[in-house]
Amino acid sequence: MIRKVMPYLLPYRLPFLFALTQVFLMSACEILKPWPIKIVIDNVLGNKPIPWEFAAGFSHQTILILSCLGLVMIYLILGGITLLNNYTTIRIGQRMVNDLRRDIYSHLQRLSLAFHSRRQVGDLMYRVTADTYAIQSLTMNGVFPIVTAAALLGGMFFVMVKIDWQLTLLSLAVVPALFVTISLLSGRISTAATLARQQESEVYSIVQRGMSAMRIVQAFTKEEDEHRKFMTASDLSLDASLRLYTLQTFYSGVINVVMALGTAFVVWVGARHVLSGSLTVGEIVVFTTYLASLYAPINTISQTWGIIQGAKVGVQRVFEILDVERDIKEGHRTFPREGAKGEVAWEAVSFEYMPGQPILKKIDLHVQPGQRVAIVGPTGVGKSTMVSLLPRFYEPQAGRVLIDGTDIREFQTKSLRQQIAMVLQPPLVFPISVRENIAYGRPEATLEEVIEAARLARIHESIDRLPNKYDTVIGEQGATLSEGERQRITIARAILRNAPILILDEPTSSVDAETEALIMEGLNQLTRGRTTFIIAHRLSTVRQADVIIVVKGGEIVEKGDFEELVKGQGPFASLYRSQFSLEE
């Protein structure tokens, strides 16, 4: 844990050392706090001679005034340093949280879709937003207070030994009992903290799923069921949190009782020393004040240990994600400035999501630059999976995919994906302006280029009717647009990308026949000179394809152009006739 956390603390080592300096100054002030009271009791009220030569001629009134002023100054200095120390440590802790969030979010962005398909979005959100705060709790609210307490404890112990070494040793008699309490309860606190975070992340997951599927929830009147699921998870989270807080409170109570027993014992022995004349009243006041201050850092260390146990769980959950190795290994090659030529090949490619359940079986396909390839077949046979291997969303278990004769695993992921523009299902738009949505893949594009892409996608007129035209902000998940409008915006986004390879996954599935004809007209202009893959269930969209392949059972079972396949007696002709008769 220390090895993993230290890289996040090292960039702030100078502010951390500055904070440590403040700690020693605060400890010095804490040590000085009871001495003005001692001087008043022993040298003003008790008429004991003051031991310092420079103050030998001072009157009792002067000594009283100076002692009161000294007490005020000590508290003022202590308050100022404490304020500065709080700001310094909070600033360091927040920056560490920010750095850790940066790393985990960046890491999540680079993990494959296979990883994300196995994880709950809500759980990952909780790790990014909530668990990352644990690094601040672990260091600035955990380890740092222990360092502070240790410095204060050392100073107090030194002074107390000078006053009465026997009482000092007696005051430390409670320490073994404190460590026994820590060892007995820390494991239970850690377990309870783990369960509390897991239950809270489950609440996040349920909320995320419910909010993202609100239309379906309301359409099927499942509001009460979703509310029931949420309350069940929320109640479990509440129970886990209450168990954690109960353990921490019980832990704190036991510590306080142990220290109260130690204080009572020391006061009893100290009073007997005063009665015997070995201690003055002022000295016993200083000692009992130090005793409270001595137990305070011991208490801090004990209480902070409980905080560390809870924080450690959160940090472990974050590093559990950071320790996941990227299953998509980064290549070293880049494409030339002018981009890929567009020659694409699958060579004996096999793929499976789950072991023993193959989706693709030894796929062989060679596509020439500029060819338009339509991929058809029943749902679930691997059409989208096949083209998803091209930008390396997934890695095949066998075989290889090539662009321009080079295995795509040799290319840098960013360079590879810059060669590909995609229209995927379902159509995804962001709650930002229309212009930003279309220019998502090319943010530097001019407004004129954005409008031209929108015209090709046959969406410009719809955008022109919006209140702020291209500056209109789209609702969450595109709620302010129709399905067909969202689809055409994603097509405009792909057009603007101007990549040499296009992947169109059901590009006209959400539009009517008239709009489909307009979109296909624009896409026909776009696909000229570009290698294009069109996944389609509606066979009317594949008429202009140079090559049509039919996928069934994870294999390519038929290949040819439209006229050739329709005239044949194979799967495509059967599929075409059945679809045509349904449309009739």
Side-chain angles (χ1 to χ4, degrees), residues 206 217 222-233:
I206 290 174
V217 171
K222 301 293 288 183
E223 294 91 342
E224 291 185 5
D225 288 345
E226 290 299 320
H227 182 261
R228 194 178 302 112
K229 290 178 185 177
F230 171 78
M231 289 308 303
T232 300

Side-chain angles (χ1 to χ4, degrees), residues 464-486:
D464 210 39
R465 289 193 294 267
L466 294 174
N468 297 314
K469 302 185 185 306
Y470 282 84
D471 291 324
T472 302
V473 176
I474 297 174
E476 190 72 35
Q477 296 184 354
T480 55
L481 301 175
S482 69
E483 188 78 10
E485 287 171 333
R486 292 201 295 272

Side-chain angles (χ1 to χ4, degrees), residues 116-394:
H116 287 283
S117 65
R118 297 190 299 267
R119 293 282 185 162
Q120 291 184 338
V121 175
D123 177 64
L124 296 178
M125 287 173 57
Y126 189 82
R127 294 182 194 234
V128 173
T129 57
D131 283 334
T132 46
Y133 273 106
I135 196 170
Q136 179 179 7
S137 298
L138 187 65
T139 54
M140 297 298 103
N141 301 336
V143 175
F144 194 82
I146 289 179
V147 174
T148 304
L152 182 59
L153 189 61
M156 295 282 184
F157 182 76
F158 178 77
V159 176
M160 290 173 69
V161 167
K162 290 288 186 180
I163 296 174
D164 191 318
W165 66 270
Q166 292 177 329
L167 275 181
T168 304
L169 292 180
L170 284 174
S171 66
L172 295 177
V174 300
V175 173
L178 292 175
F179 281 111
V180 169
T181 304
I182 291 172
S183 62
L184 289 176
L185 293 178
S186 62
R188 294 184 180 182
I189 291 175
S190 179
T191 302
T194 300
L195 180 60
R197 288 181 180 272
Q198 289 174 343
Q199 294 295 346
E200 188 65 13
S201 69
E202 179 64 21
V203 173
Y204 268 61
S205 297
I206 290 174
V207 171
Q208 186 274 329
R209 289 197 298 267
M211 293 296 101
S212 61
M214 187 59 68
R215 181 176 296 182
I216 295 176
V217 171
Q218 293 183 352
F220 287 87
T221 63
K222 301 293 288 183
E223 294 91 342
E224 291 185 5
D225 288 345
E226 290 299 320
H227 182 261
R228 194 178 302 112
K229 290 178 185 177
F230 171 78
M231 289 308 303
T232 300
S234 184
D235 288 342
L236 290 173
S237 176
L238 175 62
D239 291 342
S241 298
L242 287 176
R243 174 175 170 76
L244 173 61
Y245 296 145
T246 301
L247 281 172
Q248 289 176 332
T249 304
F250 178 73
Y251 178 86
S252 177
V254 172
I255 296 295
N256 288 333
V257 169
V258 171
M259 289 195 300
L261 291 172
T263 302
F265 182 62
V266 170
V267 168
W268 180 74
V269 175
R272 293 177 63 86
H273 283 200
V274 172
L275 292 174
S276 67
S278 60
L279 282 178
T280 68
V281 175
E283 286 175 332
I284 192 60
V285 169
V286 171
F287 195 91
T288 52
T289 303
Y290 276 171
L291 183 64
S293 299
L294 177 72
Y295 282 161
I298 294 176
N299 185 36
T300 297
I301 292 172
S302 304
Q303 301 290 350
T304 303
W305 190 256
I307 294 175
I308 289 175
Q309 294 304 310
K312 189 171 69 173
V313 173
V315 173
Q316 286 172 337
R317 281 169 52 85
V318 174
F319 281 106
E320 178 187 323
I321 300 298
L322 287 173
D323 289 340
V324 175
E325 293 188 11
R326 293 178 59 183
D327 46 359
I328 305 295
K329 302 299 181 183
E330 193 67 49
H332 62 279
R333 300 183 63 171
T334 59
F335 284 89
R337 184 182 297 273
E338 62 272 14
K341 296 177 182 176
E343 180 185 1
V344 180
W346 284 259
E347 293 184 353
V349 171
S350 297
F351 177 82
E352 55 188 33
Y353 292 105
M354 301 292 291
Q357 299 179 20
I359 301 298
L360 300 177
K361 305 172 185 176
K362 295 185 178 180
I363 294 291
D364 282 298
L365 178 66
H366 189 272
V367 180
Q368 296 296 331
Q371 274 193 317
R372 288 174 290 187
V373 179
I375 306 173
V376 301
T379 300
V381 296
K383 303 186 300 297
S384 296
T385 300
M386 182 177 168
V387 295
S388 293
L389 298 177
L390 192 55
R392 295 188 73 194
F393 289 157
Y394 305 96

Side-chain angles (χ1 to χ4, degrees), residues 24 256 382 511:
F24 291 117
N256 288 333
V511 296

